[in-house]
């Protein structure tokens, strides 16, 4: 079975690979970059998080993609579909290394992976679980056409983290893309 790959003008999106670990660990150790996704973790915990994402590819056939900057070949984040047990919906999420912020990479990758989730996975709705204080992610969700549906609840052990559920239906997405 061929691994899915998505290419945009500036990005390659592909499943998580062992070679991504150094970038992943640095990203998860950065207090600012990891602030709204559980905060910084040591390298061993970053490995377990990356392995969970890779395991989701094996178990579900999808997970967030590794985001590779074509010009440099460097790992700059993870973006894409995510739906662990008891999650509040079918999410497309994002997390980008700080050095790549403000360049439109999250938007470019989110558009490609939302299209992929609707077209390849057959999803009819997509959400984004966003901390109420995470204004940059809220602005990205708005730019994608999602609306704040109100407070949500994550499953244990994340139930104490406040999130708003942003989202849109496949039909709303397709109308907005015309």
């Amino acid at each position: 079975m061929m691994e899915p790959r998505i290419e945009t003008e500036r990005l390659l999106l592909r499943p998580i690979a062992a070679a991504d670990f150094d970038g992943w660990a640095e990203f998860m150790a950065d207090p600012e970059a990891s602030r709204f996704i559980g905060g910084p973790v040591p390298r061993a915990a970053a490995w377990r998080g990356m392995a969970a994402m890779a395991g989701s590819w094996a178990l579900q056939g999808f997970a967030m993609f590794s985001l590779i900057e074509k010009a440099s070949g460097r790992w700059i984040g993870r973006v894409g579909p995510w739906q662990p047990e008891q999650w509040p919906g079918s999410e497309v999420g994002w997390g980008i290394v700080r050095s790549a912020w403000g360049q439109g990479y999250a938007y470019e990758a989110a558009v490609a992976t939302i299209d992929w989730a609707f077209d390849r996975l057959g999803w009819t709705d997509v959400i984004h679980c966003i901390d109420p204080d995470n204004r940059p992610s809220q602005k990205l969700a708005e730019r994608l056409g999602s609306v704040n549906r109100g407070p949500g609840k994550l499953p244990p052990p994340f139930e104490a983290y406040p999130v708003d559920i942003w989202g849109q239906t496949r039909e709303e997405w397709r109308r907005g893309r015309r």
Side-chain angles (χ1 to χ4, degrees), residues 30-88:
D30 181 330
E32 191 62 25
S34 65
R35 176 178 171 202
F36 295 113
I37 55 173
V41 298
R43 193 170 170 88
W47 172 261
R48 288 189 296 279
M50 190 180 93
M53 195 70 66
S56 181
W57 275 105
L59 296 172
Q60 295 179 292
F62 66 87
M64 289 191 192
F65 290 88
S66 274
L67 188 55
I68 310 300
E69 184 182 52
K70 283 183 179 178
S72 67
R74 74 183 176 122
W75 187 93
I76 60 169
R78 79 247 179 122
V79 177
W82 183 236
Q83 193 178 34
E85 176 69 19
Q86 299 179 6
W87 212 246

Side-chain angles (χ1 to χ4, degrees), residues 96-109:
I96 307 290
V97 299
R98 200 169 358 158
S99 63
W101 287 2
Q103 298 176 50
Y105 289 139
Y107 176 78
E108 188 175 329

Side-chain angles (χ1 to χ4, degrees), residues 52-147:
M53 195 70 66
S56 181
W57 275 105
L59 296 172
Q60 295 179 292
F62 66 87
M64 289 191 192
F65 290 88
S66 274
L67 188 55
I68 310 300
E69 184 182 52
K70 283 183 179 178
S72 67
R74 74 183 176 122
W75 187 93
I76 60 169
R78 79 247 179 122
V79 177
W82 183 236
Q83 193 178 34
E85 176 69 19
Q86 299 179 6
W87 212 246
S90 301
E91 180 170 23
V92 166
W94 46 82
I96 307 290
V97 299
R98 200 169 358 158
S99 63
W101 287 2
Q103 298 176 50
Y105 289 139
Y107 176 78
E108 188 175 329
V111 166
T113 57
I114 291 171
D115 279 341
W116 189 82
F118 285 144
D119 296 342
R120 296 288 299 277
L121 301 177
W123 288 5
T124 58
D125 192 70
V126 68
I127 66 165
H128 322 291
C129 300
I130 301 175
D131 186 293
D133 293 332
N134 188 345
R135 189 64 189 134
S137 279
Q138 293 167 10
K139 288 169 80 173
L140 176 54
E142 288 171 345
R143 186 173 175 205
L144 291 167
S146 291
V147 297

